[in-house]
Amino acid sequence: MRFAAILIAVAMTGSAWAQTDPFFPKPSYFRKHFTNVPTKVELQPPARLADYVVGGKLELSLKSYLDLVMANNPDIGIQKLNVDFSRDAILRAFSVFDPIANASFSTARQKSPSGSLLAGASTLNTLSQPFSLGYRQTMVTGTQYNLSFTDTRVSSNNSFSTFNPQLSSGFNFNLIQPLLRGRGMFITKIPISIARSRLKAADFTFQDQVIQLVTTAENAYWDVVNARENLRVQEESLKLADAALTRAKKEIELGATSKLEMFLPEANRANAELGVIQGRYRLEQVEDALRRQMGADLDPAYRKMPLVLTESVEMPAESKPIDREAATDAAMRHRPDLRAAVQALDADDLGIKQANNALLPSLSFTAQYGSSGLGGIFYPRTNLIDPTLPVLPVPGGLGDALSGVFGFRYPIYGVGLTLTLPIRDRNAAANLADAVVQKRMDALKVRSTEENVRLQVLNAISLVEQSRESVRIAKIARDLAQQRVDADQQRYELGVITLFFVLDSQNAFVLAESNLVTQTISYKRNVLNLLERTGELLDERGIVLQ
């Protein structure tokens, strides 16, 4: 049954914050741009540990243990968040198409002495109040347009002013369309395509990192199993040593042997007890490391809870030979580090096209259209109705200026071409050369990675086959050591050999049993190593990355 990777939750991540992109003037726009981003990060406590508590002990199969690792290991959460940087880069690449609006208003009063009667006043007093609105954006085709509206109110004590205050308004539309460099949707969206390609590579890198972390976690599981089995062997050795020492004491009491024969069984028993003590402390160390992998060290309720690992150390009944070609082919398809290296070539192709486009001359078509208007209180030089009568001002204001602007009675328009021809562009040429070199380098990295993958898989297969044979031989050696113990025990009872030979055969049996444990765990580790090298570990363990 497959289980999903459950990662550490935080109160709010940067990616979640960046993905909400409200438009002005929605209320969410103001909440985003005028609200402080919370800096506190809250980590959730370890999850699902209680699901595996049986009789006051934490009972774990390999699958359930890896389930807890994926749910609680912070290193996996860190690798997952690293992918978010590449995801945010896509959003950042879209920023060149973001529209920008601007507005400005200012007021300034200026008093200056007049040096001429034509100034209209001995001391010229002018109040200027310009106001402007603007909007600009770049389209996916590379087209840039700019809309602007301006209005300036000027009032002064100049007696020659025809409009006082004077309102000057204007509307203008500018358009720039690249015709060579930077033309077309493909070129303008290359940064977005590169960011998306790098996101895919980041996903493969994340998979590779998770495989390595899962391998480390599973090795910690087998460390505990190995320490537990070695402790069991040492405890059996202590029992044998106790039995031999007890028998030696009885023989001395009965006068069947000399007291001088006591030193060997006592030393043998002391060495066996030392092995048990060392095995117990070793087991405690690896159990603490195992708790760290699944987050049990963070919760006092599970920090000292006994562990029961249910995974069997026995080899499969039937072990089929490994097809080396099939294994290497699987590695070529599944290894995420190789797929990340291949994905880099896609980004390199886009970079070369982008650098090649930068070598083109910059030729742009420009277009402009606008209108202007004038308004304010009009002061004619003579009475417009009867020249003999006094001059009367004609009321007016902003409406007159706006009617002139949007009535388009005074249009402004024009078109043009702008050519920027680099006589020699060493910067662009160097950038293109670098892009080509980068692709060649990445192509060599792909080849090197392929060779390394093949070699790693073949070595891993050799280790598995070697371990399989080592376990088989270790079992034979253990069985023969057991038969020797039984034979020496019978010969000792018949008085054919001394106690020294019995103790020697018992120690040889303990070493053979310990070697069998070591070889069996080594086989498990080498199978794990093969799954890591072929890139099939996550699928084999039923881990799905979200």
Side-chain angles (χ1 to χ4, degrees):
M1 186 177 197
R2 301 173 71 86
F3 58 85
I6 306 173
L7 301 177
I8 295 177
V10 296
M12 179 181 294
T13 64
S15 293
W17 185 261
Q19 288 172 0
T20 57
D21 191 25
F23 287 91
F24 179 88
K26 293 182 178 180
S28 56
Y29 174 90
F30 295 97
R31 286 196 299 269
K32 176 178 179 179
H33 289 274
F34 295 95
T35 302
N36 291 330
V37 179
T39 58
K40 182 179 180 180
V41 176
E42 296 180 357
L43 301 180
Q44 301 298 321
R48 305 183 64 183
L49 289 171
D51 297 343
Y52 303 103
V53 176
V54 179
K57 298 180 180 180
L58 203 55
E59 188 172 302
L60 300 171
S61 65
L62 180 59
K63 176 186 176 304
S64 59
Y65 162 70
L66 292 179
D67 191 359
L68 293 176
V69 170
M70 297 302 299
N72 300 319
N73 193 304
D75 296 329
I76 296 178
I78 291 172
Q79 297 302 326
K80 175 63 176 178
L81 293 177
N82 282 333
V83 180
D84 289 341
F85 288 113
S86 298
R87 187 171 291 108
D88 294 339
I90 298 177
L91 185 65
R92 188 178 298 109
F94 275 100
S95 64
V96 296
F97 306 120
D98 291 341
I100 298 176
N102 57 74
S104 66
F105 172 77
S106 63
T107 179
R109 182 177 292 278
Q110 180 181 1
K111 292 183 179 181
S112 59
S114 300
S116 172
L117 293 176
L118 298 178
S122 60
T123 299
L124 195 61
N125 189 344
T126 305
L127 176 65
S128 178
Q129 295 176 312
F131 169 77
S132 66
L133 290 174
Y135 182 91
R136 68 178 185 270
Q137 186 176 12
T138 300
M139 308 298 291
V140 294
T141 57
T143 306
Q144 302 175 19
Y145 68 90
N146 186 0
L147 299 172
S148 63
F149 170 78
T150 60
D151 182 78
T152 303
R153 184 180 185 274
V154 178
S155 61
S156 71
N157 61 347
N158 189 340
S159 60
F160 296 119
S161 296
T162 306
F163 289 89
N164 197 5
Q166 175 178 300
L167 296 169
S168 301
S169 299
F171 170 79
N172 194 41
F173 171 77
N174 291 312
L175 182 143
I176 301 176
Q177 173 60 55
L179 300 179
L180 291 176
R181 184 193 302 176
R183 178 180 66 87
M185 295 178 58
F186 177 78
I187 294 298
T188 58
K189 296 177 69 174
I190 277 183
I192 301 173
S193 300
I194 291 176
R196 287 173 173 165
S197 179
R198 289 174 178 170
L199 175 60
K200 292 181 180 179
D203 285 332
F204 294 138
T205 302
F206 168 59
Q207 294 176 26
D208 184 54
Q209 294 295 326
V210 171
I211 287 176
Q212 295 181 29
L213 291 171
V214 170
T215 301
T216 301
E218 186 168 335
N219 275 321
Y221 186 94
W222 294 118
D223 284 341
V224 175
V225 174
N226 187 36
R228 181 193 66 189
E229 293 298 314
N230 278 322
L231 178 59
R232 176 185 61 80
V233 172
Q234 294 300 327
E235 289 174 344
E236 291 178 356
S237 174
L238 182 59
K239 291 178 181 179
L240 292 174
D242 282 335
L245 181 60
T246 302
R247 184 176 186 123
K249 288 180 179 180
K250 289 182 179 181
E251 290 178 351
I252 293 174
E253 291 176 358
L254 296 174
T257 186
S258 171
K259 291 183 179 181
L260 298 177
E261 300 295 331
M262 180 62 66
F263 299 111
L264 182 59
E266 285 182 343
N268 190 66
R269 199 266 179 196
N271 289 330
E273 185 177 5
L274 176 61
V276 170
I277 293 174
Q278 292 176 341
R280 286 174 180 171
Y281 281 105
R282 172 60 181 166
L283 181 60
E284 288 183 3
Q285 291 176 348
V286 294
E287 283 183 343
D288 289 338
L290 187 75
R291 291 187 181 95
R292 189 270 176 194
Q293 289 289 337
M294 58 184 176
D297 60 325
L298 301 175
D299 195 329
Y302 304 98
R303 192 173 295 157
K304 294 299 181 181
M305 184 174 290
L307 298 175
V308 178
L309 306 187
T310 62
E311 202 69 27
S312 173
V313 296
E314 297 296 329
M315 286 184 56
E318 296 182 0
S319 299
K320 297 181 180 180
I322 301 175
D323 188 338
R324 293 174 176 260
E325 287 301 321
T328 53
D329 290 343
M332 296 299 175
R333 294 192 307 270
H334 297 112
R335 277 284 289 265
D337 54 340
L338 178 57
R339 298 177 69 184
V342 173
Q343 186 63 39
L345 295 177
D346 179 67
D348 291 337
D349 287 336
L350 295 172
I352 291 174
K353 292 178 180 178
Q354 186 179 41
N356 191 50
N357 181 261
L359 282 173
L360 296 175
S362 176
L363 178 62
S364 301
F365 169 77
T366 60
Q368 176 189 8
Y369 185 82
S371 180
S372 62
L374 186 65
I377 300 176
F378 178 61
Y379 291 89
R381 298 296 91 190
T382 59
N383 193 307
L384 299 178
I385 300 176
D386 188 349
T388 61
L389 297 178
V391 176
L392 298 176
V394 179
L398 180 61
D400 297 328
L402 295 179
S403 63
V405 171
F406 296 105
F408 299 101
R409 293 194 296 269
Y410 309 102
I412 304 170
Y413 48 86
V415 295
L417 291 174
T418 302
L419 174 65
T420 301
L421 181 63
I423 304 301
R424 188 174 186 179
D425 195 344
R426 300 179 182 179
N427 181 63
N431 290 338
L432 177 59
D434 286 348
V436 174
V437 170
Q438 184 63 50
K439 182 175 182 181
R440 291 177 179 174
M441 184 181 298
D442 288 340
L444 290 174
K445 287 180 180 179
V446 170
R447 174 174 292 182
S448 176
T449 304
E450 289 176 344
E451 292 178 340
N452 290 335
V453 167
R454 180 176 295 276
L455 180 60
Q456 290 169 0
V457 171
L458 294 177
N459 288 338
I461 293 174
S462 297
L463 290 175
V464 170
E465 294 175 344
Q466 174 187 333
S467 295
R468 186 187 298 124
E469 290 301 309
S470 297
V471 170
R472 184 179 66 84
I473 299 301
K475 284 182 178 180
I476 296 174
R478 191 270 315 269
D479 294 339
L480 292 175
Q482 179 66 58
Q483 295 174 12
R484 179 190 171 191
V485 169
D486 296 338
D488 285 350
Q489 186 66 37
Q490 293 177 10
R491 289 193 295 170
Y492 177 73
E493 292 175 354
L494 294 174
V496 177
I497 60 174
T498 62
L499 183 61
F500 171 81
F501 294 99
V502 176
L503 295 178
D504 182 66
S505 62
Q506 289 178 352
N507 290 334
F509 171 73
V510 170
L511 290 176
E513 183 74 14
S514 178
N515 183 58
L516 176 59
V517 171
T518 301
Q519 296 302 327
T520 304
I521 298 300
S522 178
Y523 173 77
K524 296 289 186 180
R525 294 183 191 277
N526 288 329
V527 171
L528 171 64
N529 179 60
L530 178 59
L531 292 175
E532 178 191 6
R533 297 308 185 186
T534 58
E536 299 173 309
L537 179 60
L538 298 184
D539 291 337
E540 187 69 22
R541 296 295 183 258
I543 298 176
V544 179
L545 300 180
Q546 294 181 342

